[in-house]
Amino acid sequence: MGKYKGYEKYKDSGVEWVVEIPEHWKICKLKRTVTIFGRIGFRGYTTQDIVLEGEGAITLSPSNILDGKINYTNRTYLSWDKYHESPEIQVFDKDILFVKTGSTIGKVAIAENMPEPMTINPQLVVLKEINCCPEFLAYLMNADFYQFQVMGFRFGGSTPAMTQESLGQTKVILLPLDEQEAIAQFLDYKTKQIDDLITKKETLIEKLDEKRTALISHAVTKGLDPSVPMKDSGIEWLGEIPEHWSINKLGRLTEEINDINHEMPVAVDQGIPFLSAKDLLDDGTLNFEKDIKKISEEDFIRLSKKICPKRNDIIYSRIGACLGKARIVEVDIQFLVSYSCCVIRLRQELADPRFFKYFLDSELILSEARLRTQGIGVPDLGLKQISKFTISVPPILEQIEIAEYLNRKTAQIKQQKSKVEKAIELLKEYRTSLITNAVTGKIDVRQVSIP
């Protein structure tokens, strides 16, 4: 931790994940410092107990715990009858919440600045009667050494869980109250500084994304030469386009727009890649490596009769939350995509795949896609609707020039984003390390000056 000094004397903690602690600190079980309450079975609730805002208390779930704090964005409400039936799990200021069930097991947050009365759902427990500084304990329970213990006590497969009894058995560190408060105050100050820096960098990423979006939209509708004469496209969302460009429907520029039979083949351990919309990655590529589904050769032969993707085809996602993503096939391997996507095969003499990938992946076409699926619960864009997309079409050589320009510019933006994302990752690692070192006594913050 560089500029921060350690304590003068240390001793063996007796805990594998902590190793040494300051000589005057102690290790004890969590149940010696708090009382743990959860929603017991017979007091569970049904969907009939879920009410509208204003008709009950906020019921916190794991999704409400984010980065060590309670997030109130998504709220579920439980009837007042159910709320008052279990007073022991009503949440009050300085109570600590712990996720004991589910994929985010181990998440911890302290209750502060509560907007309304709150309780918990069965996936959480609430720690009350805390015989130490609550802020210090919350930081300690978020530290790496404590989370390692949680991993050791969890059980279950796809839905990991931890009993209240085993939670009580986890080891925590006891130290004088004035030191706990000093550490909590130090971490409040330092983590706010770090979080503010992370927020600024996340804002920069948003601006880079906006820059990329604007760059693509302008290039595929206005071209690269600002001096060329313009004309009205006759399409409201396209506005003016270069005078020598044409307007056409996507279907007239393609050899084929098709998808496979609407069935879901069985996955096999070794086989042919079978991609879905989730495999159209945000970095502009197709995923052929991580957690992909594979199908048998028999299923591949049967399903590929309508169309089989090949190099320079465009894979376009047309169903659900991933609607409107376009990726070019840049490999020469056998694979299929599910019917959540379609394959767009362009007429090479009229259309450069890279230019049309940028156009189809732009906000312009996404807006049109959303309009064509309006009123549908789960967006499902038919192939005929896709073929009717309106496209502004430059001459083929200009398409190539625009595509190469966008390749260069988007690569530069991607590189900038990568540097910012790496900086955020390092800040988060530093934040985690700082918390762990402070609450385990690796650094002595008692004399650190805090404004």
Side-chain angles (χ1 to χ4, degrees):
M1 282 285 124
K3 60 184 178 180
Y4 301 114
K5 296 180 179 180
Y7 284 78
E8 287 187 6
K9 294 183 179 180
Y10 288 86
K11 66 181 179 182
D12 183 7
S13 70
V15 178
E16 180 183 355
W17 305 285
V18 180
V19 188
E20 290 186 329
I21 57 173
E23 193 174 48
H24 61 291
W25 290 17
K26 298 177 181 178
I27 298 289
C28 76
K29 293 180 179 179
L30 179 65
K31 67 180 182 179
R32 303 297 181 196
T33 63
V34 303
T35 305
I36 304 169
F37 295 98
R39 183 173 287 281
I40 53 181
F42 70 87
R43 290 188 190 166
Y45 55 86
T46 67
T47 53
Q48 293 179 338
D49 297 308
I50 305 298
V51 296
L52 298 173
E53 182 177 356
E55 297 179 9
I58 294 174
T59 306
L60 298 172
S61 72
S63 64
N64 292 111
I65 299 181
L66 185 65
D67 295 330
K69 296 180 174 60
I70 300 176
N71 184 295
Y72 299 104
T73 303
N74 299 314
R75 303 184 189 181
T76 301
Y77 289 83
L78 193 67
S79 70
W80 290 119
D81 286 345
K82 278 293 176 184
Y83 171 75
H84 291 297
E85 188 178 283
S86 303
E88 73 280 3
I89 56 170
Q90 293 171 7
V91 180
F92 298 104
D93 194 50
K94 306 303 181 183
D95 286 349
I96 292 176
L97 302 170
F98 179 89
V99 178
K100 70 178 182 71
T101 306
S103 60
T104 58
I105 185 172
K107 285 202 301 184
V108 177
I110 188 167
E112 295 177 303
N113 305 315
M114 297 182 298
E116 301 173 40
M118 299 191 303
T119 184
I120 57 171
N121 82 354
Q123 292 178 278
L124 302 178
V125 292
V126 57
L127 279 51
K128 295 175 173 290
E129 301 169 12
I130 299 170
N131 296 318
C132 61
C133 172
E135 292 85 357
F136 170 80
L137 183 59
Y139 278 121
L140 186 146
M141 293 179 72
N142 272 305
D144 281 347
F145 94 90
Y146 189 83
Q147 291 296 313
F148 288 144
Q149 294 184 74
V150 171
M151 296 299 288
F153 277 110
R154 57 186 280 180
F155 63 89
S158 58
T159 307
M162 186 177 183
T163 66
Q164 289 177 214
E165 174 60 29
S166 60
L167 177 60
Q169 295 295 320
T170 56
K171 303 289 182 62
V172 294
I173 304 171
L174 281 186
L175 49 147
L177 183 61
D178 61 338
E179 285 186 66
Q180 295 178 34
E181 291 171 344
I183 291 170
Q185 186 180 11
F186 167 79
L187 290 175
D188 282 346
Y189 176 70
K190 296 302 294 184
T191 56
K192 185 181 185 306
Q193 284 185 318
I194 297 168
D195 291 343
D196 288 346
L197 275 174
I198 290 172
T199 298
K200 287 179 181 178
K201 292 188 180 300
E202 288 173 340
T203 300
L204 178 56
I205 286 178
E206 290 174 8
K207 289 181 178 177
L208 286 170
D209 286 337
E210 290 169 3
K211 179 180 178 181
R212 183 183 186 278
T213 297
L215 178 76
I216 293 171
S217 295
H218 187 275
V220 299
T221 58
K222 312 299 180 192
L224 305 179
D225 184 356
S227 66
V228 299
M230 306 292 282
K231 67 180 179 183
D232 184 5
S233 67
I235 309 296
E236 183 179 355
W237 55 268
L238 268 179
E240 289 191 330
I241 61 172
E243 196 173 57
H244 62 290
W245 290 20
S246 63
I247 295 292
N248 219 328
K249 299 295 183 185
L250 179 62
R252 294 176 182 172
L253 302 165
T254 62
E255 290 181 9
E256 188 175 7
I257 300 175
N258 215 334
D259 60 7
I260 68 166
N261 291 337
H262 289 203
E263 60 178 278
M264 193 57 64
V266 175
V268 297
D269 292 334
Q270 299 293 326
I272 297 168
F274 185 81
L275 310 187
S276 64
K278 71 175 177 59
D279 296 307
L280 277 63
L281 302 179
D282 290 338
D283 66 0
T285 64
L286 291 167
N287 171 38
F288 287 98
E289 297 178 4
K290 187 177 180 181
D291 300 325
I292 62 167
K293 181 176 180 176
K294 294 180 180 179
I295 61 173
S296 67
E297 187 172 352
E298 292 77 12
D299 281 338
F300 171 78
I301 292 170
R302 187 181 76 260
L303 294 172
S304 63
K305 287 179 179 178
K306 286 174 66 179
I307 194 164
C308 182
K310 64 180 183 179
R311 182 178 286 272
N312 289 326
D313 284 348
I314 294 176
I315 308 300
Y316 184 77
S317 57
R318 62 184 195 82
I319 294 177
C322 295
L323 177 72
K325 290 184 177 182
R327 304 290 182 264
I328 292 180
V329 178
E330 298 178 298
V331 295
D332 294 308
I333 64 172
Q334 287 187 325
F335 75 99
L336 285 182
V337 287
S338 76
Y339 57 85
S340 63
C341 302
C342 67
V343 178
I344 299 173
R345 185 161 295 157
L346 295 162
R347 295 170 59 185
Q348 297 294 314
E349 73 278 9
L350 296 177
D352 179 77
R354 297 168 302 168
F355 174 85
F356 279 83
K357 185 270 291 187
Y358 280 118
F359 204 115
L360 289 167
D361 204 39
S362 70
E363 287 292 322
L364 300 167
I365 289 296
L366 181 57
S367 297
E368 187 171 352
R370 285 171 176 159
L371 282 173
R372 291 177 183 273
T373 58
Q374 219 168 36
I376 300 174
V378 177
D380 186 347
L381 198 60
L383 302 180
K384 288 185 178 179
Q385 293 294 322
I386 295 170
S387 71
K388 292 177 183 177
F389 283 161
T390 304
I391 309 285
S392 55
V393 187
I396 186 70
L397 291 178
E398 194 171 349
Q399 292 179 37
I400 294 169
E401 182 185 8
I402 291 170
E404 290 176 349
Y405 167 81
L406 288 175
N407 281 349
R408 290 194 304 274
K409 291 295 185 180
T410 56
Q412 291 171 3
I413 293 172
K414 183 178 179 180
Q415 190 175 34
Q416 288 176 291
K417 275 187 65 176
S418 180
K419 288 180 179 178
V420 177
E421 287 166 349
K422 181 62 176 177
I424 290 173
E425 183 182 335
L426 290 172
L427 283 168
K428 288 181 176 179
E429 289 175 1
Y430 175 69
R431 186 184 192 277
T432 299
S433 177
L434 188 67
I435 291 171
T436 296
N437 283 305
V439 301
T440 58
K442 302 297 183 292
I443 58 175
D444 183 354
V445 303
R446 291 174 295 178
Q447 305 306 317
V448 177
S449 178
I450 297 173

